Amino acid sequence: MRILNWLLLPIGLMAGCQNQEAAPTGAAKGIPGQAWWKEGIIYQIYPRSFKDSDGDGVGDLRGIIEKLDYIERLGVTMVWLNPIYASPNADNGYDISDYRAIMQEFGSMEDFDELLAGLHSRGIRFVMDVVVNHSSDEHEWFVQSRSSRDNPYRDYYHWWPAEKGKPNYRYSLFDPKGEAWKYDSLTDAYYLHYFAQKQPDLKWENPKVRQEVYDIMKFWAEKGVDGFRLDAFQYVSKDTTFPKLPEGYEKEVIKYYGMGPGLHGYLKEMNREVLSQYDVFVVSEGAGSSFEDAHSLVDADRNELQMAYHFEGMDVGNSLDGYTLAEFKSVYSRWDSAFAKKGWLSIFLANHDVPRMVSKFGDDRPAYRAASSKMLNTFILSMRGTPYCYYGDELGMTNIGFDSIQQYQDIAARNGYQKALSEGRDMEQFLKELKFLSRDNGRTPMQWDSSRHAGFTTGTPWLPVNENHAQINVAAQEESPNSCLNYFRQMAQLRKSHLFLTYGDYQLLLPADEQVYAYTRTLEGEGALVLLNFSAAEAAAPLDKLPGFEERPLINNYPGLQVDASFITLKPYQAVLLPLK
């Protein structure tokens, strides 16, 4: 057995020693299809929870401005903010009342302009969240639409006159009763809302609605926004006859609601009117229910979108029983294979709609949290596709673990609880599942330091700060060369320095191994072997099943690597990249 003792240097002296200004390998080789948005690293910020500058307990734009140097030091190249438009906040900003105004809690348009300029001056691009499957019921369009049946804005939304009888059932994802048709007595009609009652669906079949959306996108593009994320966009096209759907279709909502008959026509029109006129990239939340659907959205010759953002990876582990590594490998390997030659993927393990990644996919027990967090970030930043990194995951932030429904702020949790109660479900079991899977887990305030509210606010935070902020926070991790934060910075720089981690071929190794996720990334004679131990026990990777590699790692989340004549033995949640010979 030989242990590579030269690895006992602090981790901060390994990948971190690379020249920050060095051109990435492969940059001069003219890789087909190169694009800035493919080579980017996206940092997603939930603005309500990042940094509060005025003590009202709600994060804001000036708070983000205060932390621009921190964001730059992460090594990310793009920032995506969840919606910051004017909103009554029935769904934390995903119910928009004015698409050309900033939410008062978040600041002013002047603050936005300063934020955008601050990002651009640091070489960081900005991605805007565009929520146009629905608006708020307080948007002037809807106020006008519901005022009378002959109002010019009536056809901006889906209305069903009551004299025709109750429309065929449509399931609402957020309604406490699960009903997507809401009766409105003002005009004796029902309006459609796939999400909450205060989020009426816009009628994209009306060309005036589409033109309104394109004008909004042009407004922000003219300000200098670099990209758009289209929220719930796969749902915008509807069969406006609303035929009866099969019983139980709610379990396959994407299949029955997504990729409607007019969707591709709308996207081609959007591309002509907006996207082709600016140097922007666009990603749609959701990619249909098949590889064919995803390719039809993003393949270059389609002239629609640039990047697929699929949910299948997020469906892994959505139970208290956890997940198997075989299932995890299968999902990411199949999607990579489907997009190996054409199209482009997003790579992510967390966002504002799911639990903290270390609690779901890693191990948030104190003994393993840091190692498993680093391991998961290694995965995200070593796969083909554009990585999305969620705020706080660079620190290894964990689920907060609420015990009662009164602690939750999320409308989906609150309405889901009422629906489960009305259906007579086992509420103890429901709360256990909610504690693990709730969206509020991923929305708790950023943990800046060990003070009372983690340095997030001087007031009362809109959502409680996780009690473990005394141990898990930026200030503490800045001082530690072996911290999750500094490891993330090193891994981000490694990705930017080696284009094979962006464009290279992916080959799965050891497919049946229940502990080790092993793969190679290779491009034009360069590459790396990636070894990730997804377990809390030591794991042995047989050398005869691995390609030849150099013994000095590009990065390693442990201060050592155990190699003998037959195996590489990985410590719990160890992650290592080894250059290929």
Side-chain angles (χ1 to χ4, degrees):
M1 176 188 297
R2 65 188 187 279
I3 298 179
L4 308 182
N5 289 312
W6 48 266
L7 284 174
L8 296 177
L9 291 167
I11 292 176
L13 297 178
M14 295 178 196
C17 69
Q18 299 192 36
N19 184 352
Q20 295 282 325
E21 303 301 323
T25 58
K29 298 181 181 180
I31 298 167
Q34 272 189 265
W36 62 263
W37 45 269
K38 291 181 180 180
E39 295 170 22
I41 300 172
I42 297 177
Y43 187 61
Q44 182 191 350
I45 294 175
Y46 199 66
R48 180 171 295 273
S49 299
F50 195 64
K51 183 67 172 72
D52 171 25
S53 70
D54 58 11
D56 66 355
V58 176
D60 47 46
L61 298 185
R62 296 224 64 82
I64 300 172
I65 291 168
E66 289 177 13
K67 297 299 182 180
L68 284 176
D69 288 343
Y70 170 82
I71 295 168
E72 181 182 19
R73 287 193 63 213
L74 288 175
V76 300
T77 64
M78 288 187 266
V79 164
W80 156 31
L81 294 189
N82 292 91
I84 55 175
Y85 313 94
S87 167
N89 277 316
D91 184 23
N92 283 355
Y94 280 90
D95 50 317
I96 296 167
S97 55
D98 188 342
Y99 289 94
R100 290 180 173 86
I102 300 297
M103 190 187 303
Q104 191 170 359
E105 286 180 306
F106 289 166
S108 65
M109 189 62 78
E110 289 73 24
D111 293 329
F112 173 81
D113 292 339
E114 184 179 339
L115 171 61
L116 187 62
L119 288 167
H120 285 169
S121 71
R122 292 166 172 81
I124 300 172
R125 301 188 190 238
F126 181 78
V127 181
M128 195 91 179
D129 215 323
V130 178
V131 187
V132 286
N133 173 71
H134 48 266
S135 74
S136 167
D137 65 348
E138 297 182 33
H139 193 291
E140 185 61 23
W141 297 341
F142 190 75
V143 172
Q144 293 290 330
S145 184
R146 72 183 290 259
S147 66
S148 70
R149 290 192 179 189
D150 59 359
N151 187 280
Y153 287 93
R154 184 66 170 186
D155 205 36
Y156 272 44
Y157 298 87
H158 296 276
W159 289 98
W160 188 276
E163 64 268 22
K164 289 177 63 176
K166 192 172 182 180
N168 284 321
Y169 171 71
R170 285 297 181 272
Y171 172 69
S172 167
L173 285 84
F174 288 178
D175 190 82
K177 295 182 180 179
E179 173 59 73
W181 288 106
K182 170 70 174 174
Y183 179 70
D184 188 64
S185 60
L186 195 61
T187 57
D188 190 30
Y190 299 86
Y191 70 84
L192 184 72
H193 61 91
Y194 276 178
F195 293 90
Q197 291 181 8
K198 288 182 68 62
Q199 294 170 297
D201 281 38
L202 286 160
K203 189 174 182 180
W204 273 72
E205 289 70 23
N206 181 352
K208 291 182 179 179
V209 170
R210 301 199 299 274
Q211 196 58 54
E212 295 269 20
V213 171
Y214 305 152
D215 288 347
I216 289 165
M217 295 176 75
K218 288 176 185 177
F219 171 83
W220 292 104
E222 291 291 341
K223 276 187 164 291
V225 166
D226 303 289
F228 298 103
R229 179 249 188 198
L230 303 179
D231 179 74
F233 198 79
Q234 62 182 332
Y235 300 145
V236 300
S237 174
K238 278 97 170 169
D239 178 344
T240 56
T241 65
F242 297 104
K244 190 172 182 179
L245 296 178
E247 187 174 347
Y249 80 89
E250 301 95 326
K251 296 176 182 177
E252 298 180 278
V253 165
I254 292 176
K255 177 180 177 181
Y256 288 95
Y257 281 6
M259 307 298 289
L263 183 68
H264 291 297
Y266 303 156
L267 285 172
K268 289 182 185 300
E269 184 179 67
M270 180 189 290
N271 192 295
R272 287 194 306 272
E273 297 244 354
V274 184
L275 309 184
S276 63
Q277 307 302 313
Y278 302 90
D279 184 21
V280 296
F281 96 96
V282 183
V283 57
S284 174
E285 181 192 28
S289 56
S290 68
F291 295 138
E292 291 74 21
D293 283 348
H295 274 293
S296 71
L297 290 169
V298 303
D299 285 356
D301 57 7
R302 297 283 304 180
N303 294 317
E304 296 185 26
L305 306 177
Q306 285 98 344
M307 192 184 300
Y309 190 96
H310 71 89
F311 290 140
E312 192 174 356
M314 295 299 93
D315 293 337
V316 174
N318 280 343
S319 78
L320 297 176
D321 296 329
Y323 69 98
T324 66
L325 183 56
E327 181 184 11
F328 188 93
K329 291 179 186 179
S330 175
V331 167
Y332 286 96
S333 296
R334 283 188 291 104
W335 276 90
D336 182 89
S337 177
F339 280 75
K341 303 299 181 186
K342 202 174 185 183
W344 196 253
L345 289 175
S346 307
I347 297 294
F348 63 100
L349 290 177
N351 59 36
H352 60 289
D353 284 333
V354 296
R356 282 288 171 185
M357 72 174 189
V358 74
S359 295
K360 183 179 180 183
F361 295 111
D363 191 330
D364 60 13
R365 293 176 294 176
Y368 302 112
R369 181 195 57 80
S372 64
S373 174
K374 294 174 187 177
M375 183 272 294
L376 294 171
N377 277 320
T378 307
F379 169 75
I380 295 170
L381 291 165
S382 65
M383 285 290 285
R384 176 162 44 192
T386 299
Y388 289 64
C389 306
Y390 190 54
Y391 86 97
D393 282 347
E394 72 272 24
L395 306 177
M397 282 177 58
T398 68
N399 281 0
I400 191 167
F402 290 149
D403 292 312
S404 70
I405 193 61
Q406 287 74 26
Q407 294 171 290
Y408 291 91
Q409 295 289 330
D410 180 27
I411 190 172
R414 289 175 173 268
N415 287 351
Y417 180 87
Q418 293 301 320
K419 186 172 187 290
L421 200 61
S422 68
E423 293 172 348
R425 289 181 55 185
D426 180 339
M427 298 310 293
E428 183 179 353
Q429 180 66 18
F430 178 88
L431 284 172
K432 283 182 181 178
E433 293 172 356
L434 193 62
K435 183 176 185 177
F436 177 53
L437 294 171
S438 165
R439 304 194 304 178
D440 276 346
N441 281 313
R443 300 178 177 186
T444 56
M446 180 68 169
Q447 295 166 199
W448 294 105
D449 58 39
S450 60
S451 62
R452 185 182 176 197
H453 296 312
F456 165 69
T457 182
T458 57
T460 301
W462 77 277
L463 199 62
V465 174
N466 197 315
E467 291 182 359
N468 64 18
H469 75 274
Q471 295 78 41
I472 305 170
N473 63 73
V474 172
Q477 295 196 23
E478 287 278 13
E479 302 302 318
S480 171
N482 295 332
S483 68
C484 295
L485 173 59
N486 282 311
Y487 183 88
F488 179 91
R489 289 166 171 160
Q490 295 153 21
M491 190 63 213
Q493 180 56 35
L494 186 69
R495 183 177 182 88
K496 291 191 291 186
S497 299
H498 296 283
L499 285 184
F500 62 75
L501 292 175
T502 299
Y503 298 107
D505 291 337
Y506 161 95
Q507 182 180 356
L508 176 66
L509 308 170
L510 311 179
D513 196 296
E514 297 178 356
Q515 291 176 273
V516 178
Y517 192 167
Y519 51 92
T520 57
R521 300 299 315 285
T522 55
L523 176 70
E524 298 179 352
E526 297 180 283
L529 167 64
V530 182
L531 297 174
L532 309 172
N533 183 0
F534 268 71
S535 78
E538 286 194 346
L543 292 179
D544 62 352
K545 302 292 185 181
L546 303 176
F549 57 86
E550 303 288 346
E551 292 187 353
R552 185 176 180 88
L554 294 169
I555 198 165
N556 183 3
N557 68 343
Y558 273 83
L561 184 65
Q562 183 175 317
V563 181
D564 62 25
S566 301
F567 298 96
I568 296 178
T569 301
L570 300 174
K571 295 185 181 301
Y573 299 107
Q574 187 163 11
V576 61
L577 267 68
L578 298 161
L580 292 175
K581 287 183 177 178

